[in-house]
Amino acid sequence: MTRVHRKADEVPARRVDARTERWRAHRVQVRIEFVEAAFRALDAHGPDVSMGDIAKEAGAAKPKLYRHFEDKTDLYNAIVDRVREMLWERLLGGIDLTHDSAAELVRRAAAEYVAVVSEHPNVFRFILHSHFSQQARETERALAAARQSARRAAEFIAGLLPDESVDVAGIELVSYSIFGAVASATDWWLGANQREVSAMPVERFIDYLAESISALAQAHARFNGVRIDPAEPLRDAFVTD
């Protein structure tokens, strides 16, 4: 009987189990549906929503919810991720990076952000003050998510600039600072509008955020010996003094 010897580099291709792939895709879809249900439950019940409220909104038993999320924090992080995706989709769909001036981009970003906050105020109250994330471990995860967003924004902005020696870490720092300032302002705005009627109208709040973002960006630029011309498109707005 002849024995066939397989060469060392002839590794058999791993066969993809179609059932495993279908199950993975199914789990992803179910998680998406639960996050959508969480948005509806938050809109209806407020930031103190329970896992039971979310499961009921999804038309599922609570044990099924826990089969698709490790714990409350896992669901909280999925909601934060979805908000981040929504903001990127809205922002990138409404700007012209080639022709819009830096000032117009900042104003548009602030307007799109406030539009999403206005559509889902309880989602943002939940993110800022959720009982799902009150422990130190969850707080660290929330900070890590903010850092990740700052890094993504920094890499995105750096990719638009003509200078290949752009300081991505510096842009990440100012992005992180901007996220913190915007989150604090949003917390005040949502809280104030619960206590008073029109504590700050939407358009004025957009203007406030745009001014705050611009001021932080300008301060960071000056610190690094760079001037930002807000009237120029982003690629041409940075001038070395």
Side-chain angles (χ1 to χ4, degrees):
M1 182 169 116
T2 303
R3 181 169 296 175
V4 177
H5 296 280
R6 185 183 300 277
K7 293 180 181 179
D9 59 349
E10 290 181 354
V11 179
R14 178 176 292 180
R15 180 175 297 174
V16 177
D17 188 333
R19 289 175 298 180
T20 300
E21 289 301 312
R22 284 197 299 270
W23 175 242
R24 184 178 293 113
H26 171 73
R27 287 183 62 84
V28 169
Q29 181 58 37
V30 172
R31 280 177 64 94
I32 291 171
E33 291 171 359
F34 270 125
V35 170
E36 291 174 350
F39 269 69
R40 296 194 300 272
L42 283 162
D43 289 341
H45 301 288
D48 293 327
V49 69
S50 68
M51 294 290 272
D53 293 329
I54 295 170
K56 183 177 180 180
E57 182 63 39
K62 192 157 66 170
K64 182 178 180 181
L65 178 57
Y66 278 108
R67 282 201 300 272
H68 290 275
F69 294 90
E70 294 178 7
D71 51 26
K72 290 180 178 179
T73 302
D74 189 18
L75 178 57
Y76 173 87
N77 289 337
I79 293 169
V80 171
D81 287 344
R82 179 57 190 139
V83 168
R84 186 167 50 197
E85 290 169 3
M86 290 171 63
L87 291 172
W88 276 104
E89 289 166 3
R90 294 282 290 265
L91 175 59
L92 295 180
I95 60 176
D96 182 345
L97 294 171
T98 303
H99 301 101
D100 288 349
S101 69
E104 288 170 334
L105 291 175
V106 170
R107 183 65 167 64
R108 187 71 55 82
E112 293 295 352
Y113 171 79
V114 173
V116 176
V117 173
S118 299
E119 290 167 12
H120 301 286
N122 284 332
V123 171
F124 283 83
R125 291 185 180 107
F126 170 82
I127 290 173
L128 293 167
H129 296 290
S130 174
H131 60 284
F132 280 24
S133 60
Q134 288 177 346
Q135 298 178 14
R137 178 170 58 91
E138 282 81 6
T139 301
E140 282 299 315
R141 291 186 185 182
L143 289 173
R147 292 190 191 103
Q148 183 182 12
S149 295
R151 185 71 182 182
R152 180 179 178 184
E155 291 172 347
F156 175 75
I157 293 170
L160 298 174
L161 302 179
D163 187 355
E164 294 181 358
S165 63
V166 142
D167 179 12
V168 175
I171 300 176
E172 181 181 0
L173 171 60
V174 72
S175 298
Y176 192 53
S177 301
I178 288 170
F179 289 162
V182 169
S184 297
T186 302
D187 185 27
W188 175 86
W189 190 59
L190 291 174
N193 282 336
Q194 280 188 311
R195 299 189 301 271
E196 304 172 28
V197 177
S198 298
M200 182 178 284
V202 169
E203 287 300 316
R204 185 164 175 76
F205 186 57
I206 292 171
D207 290 340
Y208 174 83
L209 290 184
E211 288 289 340
S212 299
I213 293 168
S214 296
L216 282 167
Q218 291 281 7
H220 173 79
R222 286 194 302 272
F223 181 77
N224 289 280
V226 177
R227 179 169 52 85
I228 300 176
D229 185 346
E232 291 290 335
L234 197 59
R235 290 185 63 88
D236 303 319
F238 295 83
V239 181
T240 302
D241 293 327

